[in-house]
Amino acid sequence: MAKKTYECIIIGAGIAGLQAAIQLGRYMHNVLVIDSQNGRSNLCRSYHNILGWPEGVSGQTLRELGHKQAKSLGIEFINDIVVEAEKVEKLILLRTEQGMEYQSSTLLISTGIKDRIPSIKNIEPCLGISVYVCPDCDGYEVRNKHVLVVGSGKTGANLALTLTYWTKKVTFIDHEAGEVDQSLKQQLNEQGITIITEQVEAVVAENETIFKGVKLKNGQTIYGEKGFIGFGGNVVHSKLASQLGVERLENKHVLVNPRTKETNVTNVWAAGDVVAHSEQVTIAMADGCQAAIWIHKRLLKGI
């Protein structure tokens, strides 16, 4: 049976992928979105720095609204995981975990990243509500509060220092006993930041979502008003890009043309957190829209 050929396939239905799908749908292109439904935006219960949502909006809400909007424009969605990608003459061939094959004239990689969050009891319901991962997104939420930074070594220590812009009440819990050099320790000391080197057993929360502190494995409870996570080692999902010969940085983020969002491989674009830039929902939206505009321009030329 001949494989169906799409004008564009989007891998990943996070914020960037959905925004691109909506734009391409409005151009009336034949588009398939392949998504694992396990993206980073599923974790955040409330973004507060997005235009039009002053009371906050969850990643799940944005995804549900975006999915509905894209489907109304004729965009096709499939729940699967792409495991192989290759260029075959003028087409891009994709193979999935479920054994399916799809091909397309153009490809948008919006596979994102996944935060490394150790298994800590009770932490997940608090994420995005009272425990945060991004100071640019949520530093404002902890202003003048006592913040517990649960992290590892220099990554956690540097996050603790960053948060002193919003609050002077910061405690750094080095959950993994990572390396913190003497210079960094001195900076923490100068800012009045206490360092506790001990594993966290569980988050202490009220009504499941309101962070109140952490219980350490030594039995001690450390109380705080807000939490932040800083472990480093986030997984950048750019393996498929690498298979296609896309240029990546040492940290595996994808490089794109800043204007068009096209990679160094012709007819392969990338958008969202998989790209080397500030990891923000609003930037992901812009990336997705910009990539879609240039994909449309390329499709008009007949590839």
Side-chain angles (χ1 to χ4, degrees), residues 146-153 156-157 160 170-178 180 185 188-189 192-201 213-224 231:
H146 180 197
V147 181
L148 305 188
V149 175
V150 179
S152 177
V170 181
T171 299
F172 170 39
I173 301 173
D174 194 351
H175 176 77
E176 295 179 335
V180 181
K185 285 181 180 178
L188 293 169
N189 184 59
I193 297 172
T194 300
I195 307 174
I196 299 173
T197 304
E198 183 66 43
Q199 286 192 321
V200 174
E201 180 178 295
V214 297
K215 180 181 179 182
L216 304 179
K217 288 200 173 179
N218 64 8
Q220 184 181 7
T221 298
I222 308 297
Y223 294 98
F231 286 93

Side-chain angles (χ1 to χ4, degrees), residues 40-67:
R40 186 189 206 190
S41 54
N42 287 316
L43 288 176
C44 189
R45 297 338 192 254
S46 189
Y47 298 109
H48 284 88
N49 63 337
I50 301 176
L51 177 68
W53 300 89
E55 301 304 317
V57 60
S58 71
Q60 182 180 356
T61 295
L62 288 177
R63 287 170 67 102
E64 288 175 354
L65 291 172
H67 189 277

Side-chain angles (χ1 to χ4, degrees), residues 59-236:
Q60 182 180 356
T61 295
L62 288 177
R63 287 170 67 102
E64 288 175 354
L65 291 172
H67 189 277
K68 182 179 180 181
Q69 188 174 352
K71 284 195 75 173
S72 74
L73 294 164
I75 303 300
E76 184 180 345
F77 286 85
I78 291 174
N79 180 20
D80 203 345
I81 298 173
V82 179
V83 293
E84 290 182 30
E86 66 173 318
K87 292 199 79 174
V88 180
E89 297 179 352
K90 291 186 177 182
L91 294 175
I92 299 157
L93 177 64
L94 304 177
R95 299 181 182 90
T96 74
E97 198 173 69
Q98 295 178 17
M100 302 299 293
E101 291 189 351
Y102 304 97
Q103 58 187 20
S104 176
S105 303
T106 62
L107 177 69
L108 174 62
I109 299 170
S110 54
T111 42
I113 71 172
K114 201 64 178 287
D115 297 280
R116 185 170 74 89
I117 303 175
S119 180
I120 298 173
K121 187 179 179 182
N122 303 331
I123 196 169
E124 190 167 324
C126 296
L127 291 174
I129 295 177
S130 57
V131 175
Y132 312 101
V133 298
C134 171
D136 295 310
C137 303
D138 294 311
Y140 181 81
E141 305 302 321
V142 306
R143 62 198 185 283
N144 301 320
K145 304 289 186 182
H146 180 197
V147 181
L148 305 188
V149 175
V150 179
S152 177
K154 65 180 181 181
T155 300
N158 281 315
L159 174 58
L161 288 170
T162 297
L163 292 173
T164 60
Y165 179 83
W166 289 278
T167 180
K168 300 302 179 184
K169 296 173 282 187
V170 181
T171 299
F172 170 39
I173 301 173
D174 194 351
H175 176 77
E176 295 179 335
E179 183 180 349
V180 181
D181 63 37
Q182 195 55 45
S183 173
L184 200 48
K185 285 181 180 178
Q186 184 175 338
Q187 292 179 63
L188 293 169
N189 184 59
E190 288 171 356
Q191 292 293 331
I193 297 172
T194 300
I195 307 174
I196 299 173
T197 304
E198 183 66 43
Q199 286 192 321
V200 174
E201 180 178 295
V203 163
V204 177
E206 182 180 289
N207 297 326
E208 294 189 347
T209 62
I210 308 303
F211 180 85
K212 292 296 180 180
V214 297
K215 180 181 179 182
L216 304 179
K217 288 200 173 179
N218 64 8
Q220 184 181 7
T221 298
I222 308 297
Y223 294 98
E225 297 170 279
K226 297 286 184 179
F228 251 94
I229 298 170
F231 286 93
N234 294 345
V235 177
V236 183

